[in-house]
Amino acid sequence: MTTDIGPVRDKVRSYILANLMFTDDASQLPDDVSLLDRGIIDSTGVLEIVLFLEEEFGIKVKDADMLPENFDSVGSIAHFVGRQTAQ
Amino acid sequence: MTPREARLLHDSLLVVAADPACAKKTAVIVEGAPHSYAELLDEALRLASALRDRGIERGDRVAIYMDNTWPCVVSIFGILIAGGVFLIVNPQTKADKLAFILDDSGARVLLTDAHLAKEFVPALEQVAHAPAVICSRLDDSAGAAESFETVIASSAPLATRAATIPLDLAALIYTSGSTGNPKGVMQTHQAMVFTAGSLVEYLRLDADARILCMLPLAFDYGLYQLLMSVRLGATLVLERSFTFPAQIFARMRESEVSVFPGVPTIFAMLLAAHSREALSFPRVTRVTNTAAALPDDSALRLREVFPNALIYKMYGLTECKRVSYLEPELIDAKPGSVGKAIPGTEVYLLSPEGHEVAPGEAGILHVRGPHVMLGYWNRPDLSAHMLKPGKLPGERVLCTQDHFRMDDEGFLYFVGRTDDIIKTRGEKVSPVEVENVIHGLGGIREAAVVGVEDAVLGQAVRAYIVLNPGASLDERRIRAHCAAHLENFMVPRDIVLCADLPRTATGKVSKKALLENPPA
């Protein structure tokens, strides 16, 4: 079964815009922009995103999952959440 | 070029790469990709000739605004070989400050990376004399720039040696100052060669070392991991940051890291991960800490994670790179101490009036040795505040302006700073710099920035702000403004809007009172 991750993506984007970029202009954060390259996240930023995902989507993020392939863009975070909730 | 004994900072690269036994050895592993010493020298020589072709002469400054990448490593050595002076700007730096540093240093070339275009393009519009730009992974976003990769590929290796002598500048290392604007610490070739040698001596490192560097190369602590590694003909494992600890841990195992340099925030995160799921790195033989004090209980718990490592507590400031280290065998005997002067240097404490202080009494730490800076670039006034006449004619010693005490065996204990610099995540934050940015927003009557204790960050940045009557600013708007103009670690974690700020008898804002009785 495939989950529609569109709504997840929007929630993740809104969260990052509001809490790490302090704006509501969604055009500032396309799906595939690297959060690391753009200096949007650092080690504490990643932890904030993890806490948000755990509360919002009821998933548990393991330390071993905190990798760039899961967390470096809005798109990759949404896919990660999609995989976790599908399990 | 014929190698010789290391007099200049890049000489050891020439020596190692020319030795047939070492040329193919891995010099740097950048996010998993290995590069040999021969490759490093070849690309650095090509960049050096490209810089010469673009007018770089002995003593000219060249700015590097890059992440911890392969082009960044090549750039450092390419600039030195060309006879230039390198300065590395932290990639978190925003446009205004980058423009300030480019103007202040007079950099004639900027070496950068396309993903930083959002900041360097506007910075280049502000500067008085725009440098030529060479940009790695060039795309349309970077404006008028040449491609780093094309420049390297199309330039022949430099064949003639620059006329550089050991007294020439090798680097300007920019550091935050209590006056607000960053200052460029001038370091000569001979000072940096000496310092790298002193560090590898007390860390007891050799060519088999595999040194992890996840601290920015813009930070002298990160930079010297590279300089030590090349000096030894060892291997540097270069990562961009500690943002993804699980990735760092995997890389440490796969690259067989033996030296782990960190700051207290990294160790706090590492120990937090260890308490969730036990970590063990038996291959690591050296763990080093500086930038802020490592709590004694953390040092103890680090032995669980690094069962075979010597743990070094150290102290330093950019103005002389490193002041002191505690022999790892003494970590239990001398809790709280940062040890003694690094090899080849000495330290002493003086009262504010310049007299010797008795053992156990606090005094201002003075540092004497070949590692002391020449001064701050363009700032003789600030240099005079830090460099004082020494024992011999013409000599200058570094007056750190930090208070220490020394026990009767000569071991140093940090007492406090005399300025109001905040140390967060191991980085220096100037309250004035943050206050100036906040004032830039308009609608602000007053802003006072202080550091408050935090278990993970060391100190967290807190801003107390009084708005002008009628100003419609909220916390989020202020934070957005700060994030757009300051490095991430400088952005206040707490923004407290209040009606007034406590004052001293002379009417100045009292930061002491702010910390003791915070306004609601």
Side-chain angles (χ1 to χ4, degrees):
Chain A
M1 188 189 88
T2 52
T3 323
D4 176 15
I5 59 165
V8 176
R9 202 158 45 208
D10 293 341
K11 280 185 183 168
V12 169
R13 190 185 343 267
S14 305
Y15 176 81
I16 295 175
L17 285 168
N19 295 283
L20 297 170
M21 297 171 70
F22 316 105
T23 171
D24 44 23
D25 175 5
S27 71
Q28 298 270 323
L29 190 58
D31 285 355
D32 57 349
V33 155
S34 162
L35 301 176
L36 205 54
D37 275 359
R38 284 276 301 276
I40 297 165
I41 51 166
D42 53 19
S43 42
T44 52
V46 171
L47 294 177
E48 286 176 44
I49 294 174
V50 166
L51 286 177
F52 165 73
L53 298 180
E54 292 187 340
E55 282 176 19
E56 180 72 29
F57 303 107
I59 59 171
K60 184 84 194 99
V61 181
K62 294 198 290 283
D63 281 7
D65 288 329
M66 285 167 52
L67 294 169
E69 51 263 43
N70 293 333
F71 282 90
D72 196 34
S73 66
V74 169
S76 62
I77 296 171
H79 279 287
F80 173 73
V81 172
R83 285 196 302 278
Q84 299 293 307
T85 48
Q87 278 170 14
Chain B
M1 283 186 198
T2 347
R4 58 167 183 231
E5 196 186 331
R7 284 201 298 255
L8 304 179
L9 193 52
H10 50 281
D11 284 347
S12 40
L13 171 61
L14 304 181
V15 174
V16 178
D19 179 347
C22 303
K24 288 187 179 150
K25 183 173 175 179
T26 299
V28 192
I29 303 174
V30 187
E31 298 194 308
H35 299 271
S36 70
Y37 274 97
E39 199 183 340
L40 176 54
L41 179 60
D42 178 65
E43 293 204 15
L45 287 170
R46 289 170 189 275
L47 179 63
S49 79
L51 291 171
R52 286 281 187 77
D53 292 345
R54 284 152 188 79
I56 293 299
E57 293 177 9
R58 178 179 171 194
D60 284 345
R61 277 79 55 213
V62 178
I64 303 172
Y65 176 57
M66 287 176 167
D67 270 298
N68 284 4
T69 58
W70 171 245
C72 183
V73 174
V74 170
S75 296
I76 292 168
F77 287 98
I79 294 165
L80 291 171
I81 291 171
V85 179
F86 72 86
L87 57 115
I88 310 179
V89 184
N90 189 319
Q92 286 191 18
T93 305
K94 301 300 188 294
D96 295 349
K97 185 162 165 183
L98 174 62
F100 173 86
I101 293 174
L102 290 174
D103 271 335
D104 185 63
S105 64
R108 298 191 52 191
V109 174
L110 170 66
L111 300 165
T112 185
D113 193 296
H115 74 256
L116 299 167
K118 189 169 161 280
E119 304 300 333
F120 76 72
V121 170
L124 291 168
E125 285 164 11
Q126 294 177 36
V127 296
H129 301 284
V133 180
I134 302 178
C135 182
S136 85
R137 292 186 280 169
L138 185 65
D139 59 25
D140 297 340
S141 64
E146 290 184 275
S147 152
F148 185 91
E149 290 76 11
T150 309
V151 163
I152 297 273
S154 62
S155 303
L158 188 71
T160 54
R161 212 187 269 282
T164 313
I165 68 165
L167 291 174
D168 285 329
L169 290 183
L172 295 180
I173 304 178
Y174 276 84
T175 179
S176 291
S178 47
T179 50
N181 283 327
K183 310 166 290 189
V185 168
M186 296 189 279
Q187 286 290 7
T188 62
H189 280 267
Q190 69 179 12
M192 295 182 83
V193 168
F194 167 84
T195 306
S198 179
L199 303 187
V200 299
E201 179 182 332
Y202 78 73
L203 293 171
R204 309 171 207 170
L205 298 178
D206 60 27
D208 294 330
R210 298 175 73 85
I211 306 173
L212 176 66
C213 178
M214 55 192 156
L215 303 154
L217 290 167
F219 179 23
D220 60 356
Y221 191 25
L223 175 65
Y224 270 87
Q225 307 306 328
L226 170 67
L227 300 179
M228 289 195 295
S229 189
V230 171
R231 179 189 178 94
L232 293 163
T235 299
L236 186 78
V237 178
L238 187 63
E239 292 290 319
R240 275 169 70 173
S241 67
F242 196 59
T243 304
F244 297 106
Q247 175 168 266
I248 297 285
F249 300 155
R251 204 84 81 195
M252 286 171 67
R253 295 193 175 97
E254 134 202 336
S255 302
E256 301 180 358
V257 162
S258 65
V259 182
F260 187 99
V263 296
T265 300
I266 286 179
F267 292 120
M269 292 175 66
L270 179 95
L271 290 172
H274 173 63
S275 62
R276 290 189 293 272
E277 196 174 334
L279 290 169
S280 179
F281 299 101
R283 282 185 186 274
V284 173
T285 60
R286 306 285 186 282
V287 171
T288 66
N289 176 69
T290 189
L294 184 68
D296 288 320
D297 65 319
S298 301
L300 210 60
R301 289 176 59 219
L302 282 176
R303 292 180 200 172
E304 295 171 18
V305 180
F306 301 105
N308 300 316
L310 299 171
I311 296 174
Y312 284 83
K313 291 180 173 180
M314 317 186 295
Y315 168 77
L317 63 169
T318 310
E319 286 78 355
C320 68
K321 165 59 202 156
R322 178 88 23 89
V323 172
S324 69
Y325 75 104
L326 180 66
E327 288 287 350
E329 289 80 3
L330 297 175
I331 200 160
D332 295 319
K334 296 286 179 188
S337 175
V338 288
K340 295 186 174 185
I342 64 171
T345 74
E346 65 177 321
V347 296
Y348 48 91
L349 304 182
L350 295 178
S351 68
E353 297 75 31
H355 304 304
E356 282 184 27
V357 302
E361 278 178 29
I364 299 167
L365 181 72
H366 287 66
V367 180
R368 181 169 183 251
H371 58 333
V372 170
M373 68 168 179
L374 216 52
Y376 300 113
W377 180 256
N378 285 338
R379 294 305 302 263
D381 53 334
L382 298 175
S383 303
H385 180 64
M386 296 294 279
L387 295 174
K388 307 287 181 191
K391 293 176 180 173
L392 298 175
E395 162 179 48
R396 290 281 177 275
V397 295
L398 177 66
C399 169
T400 64
Q401 309 290 348
D402 286 339
H403 284 182
F404 274 79
R405 64 185 175 80
M406 213 182 250
D407 68 15
D408 48 15
E409 292 177 300
F411 287 87
L412 288 168
Y413 297 81
F414 180 73
V415 175
R417 305 181 65 99
T418 48
D419 60 23
D420 60 355
I421 291 279
I422 299 166
K423 273 285 183 88
T424 183
R425 310 187 205 180
E427 310 252 18
K428 277 164 77 178
V429 177
S430 158
V432 180
E433 185 176 347
V434 181
E435 289 159 9
N436 288 346
V437 162
I438 293 172
H439 278 288
L441 188 55
I444 306 282
R445 193 179 87 198
E446 227 163 11
V449 170
V450 294
V452 294
E453 296 310 309
D454 182 277
V456 172
L457 304 175
Q459 285 183 300
V461 181
R462 178 179 292 169
Y464 291 99
I465 294 171
V466 183
L467 299 178
N468 279 330
S472 63
L473 285 170
D474 59 11
E475 197 187 314
R476 187 173 141 185
R477 180 92 177 73
I478 296 168
R479 204 184 294 276
H481 176 78
C482 289
H485 292 87
L486 294 166
E487 290 94 310
N488 291 353
F489 59 85
M490 294 191 183
V491 175
R493 184 196 65 182
D494 310 329
I495 289 176
V496 183
L497 297 174
C498 43
D500 204 0
L501 297 173
R503 282 166 207 289
T504 63
T506 56
K508 281 174 62 180
V509 172
S510 168
K511 293 199 173 171
K512 192 161 168 276
L514 266 179
L515 289 170
E516 284 164 4
N517 290 308

